Amino acid sequence: MSDGGADGRRVIRFPLARTRPGGPRAADLGASRLARRIGLPNRQLTGHWCSRCRGIWYGYPLEVECPVCGNRRG
C-alpha cells in the first residue's frame, strides 16, 4: 500500500512487520557498543526497535542485539 502526498512523495506502509511499536512515545536507548567503539558518525547509524524496552536503539545496520537488555527479536 502506498499513499501519494500532495508534493509527490509516497509513504510505503509495511503491514507484515514482525513488531509494531506501540504507545505514544518510544524510549531513546542510545547507540550500540559496536557503533561507539568503531566511532560511526550518526548519519551511518540505523534505528532498531526493541520490544522489551519499548524503545529505539541505533547501531550498524546488521546488528540485532539491543544494547540495554540483549533482546535479539526486535
Side-chain angles (χ1 to χ4, degrees):
M1 298 179 124
S2 64
D3 297 329
D7 59 359
R9 291 186 289 176
R10 292 175 48 180
V11 175
I12 300 172
R13 301 188 189 281
F14 294 96
L16 302 176
R18 289 189 325 172
T19 60
R20 292 178 188 250
R25 288 194 155 168
D28 182 356
L29 304 175
S32 70
R33 192 173 5 173
L34 177 64
R36 289 191 310 264
R37 183 177 294 160
I38 294 174
L40 292 173
N42 288 340
R43 68 179 182 275
Q44 291 182 350
L45 300 178
T46 59
H48 303 271
W49 173 253
C50 178
S51 57
R52 278 191 205 156
C53 298
R54 307 211 44 88
I56 299 171
W57 58 275
Y58 301 91
Y60 192 69
L62 299 176
E63 287 186 90
V64 295
E65 186 174 302
C66 173
V68 175
C69 71
N71 182 19
R72 297 175 63 93
R73 294 198 170 254

